[in-house]
Amino acid sequence: IFGLDLKLSTAPGTGQSVTATLMVEGVTQPLTATISEGNFAAKGVGAVVVPAGAGLNIQIVTSNGAAPTIPRVLVEAMKL
């Protein structure tokens, strides 16, 4: 996996943020995308090798006080 795109329906608000983190088999990976303030999109770039058959999850963390939003996450991957 080489990219993580995060898009929100509503910006988080002043001093607030929303972060998406890739998890493999429940373990946090070093691939995140964070949106802050009045932005609606962010891209995380990195490289995470995922074993065949491994479970993937996306953890969404919203700062306390962030505006309600609907997150959309796109994972960019390539078969090796």
Side-chain angles (χ1 to χ4, degrees):
I1 296 177
F2 61 89
L4 188 68
D5 292 329
L6 173 61
K7 294 183 181 179
L8 303 176
S9 61
T10 305
T14 303
Q16 306 299 322
S17 64
V18 176
T19 300
T21 303
L22 176 69
M23 299 179 77
V24 177
E25 295 294 331
V27 177
T28 301
Q29 301 298 309
L31 184 53
T32 64
T34 300
I35 298 174
S36 60
E37 302 279 333
N39 297 304
F40 290 87
K43 182 176 185 83
V45 178
V48 176
V49 177
V50 179
L56 298 178
N57 297 83
I58 303 295
Q59 179 184 47
I60 304 290
V61 176
T62 304
S63 63
N64 191 18
T69 190
I70 300 171
R72 291 181 293 156
V73 179
L74 172 70
V75 176
E76 298 177 85
M78 161 173 73
K79 185 176 180 179
L80 298 177

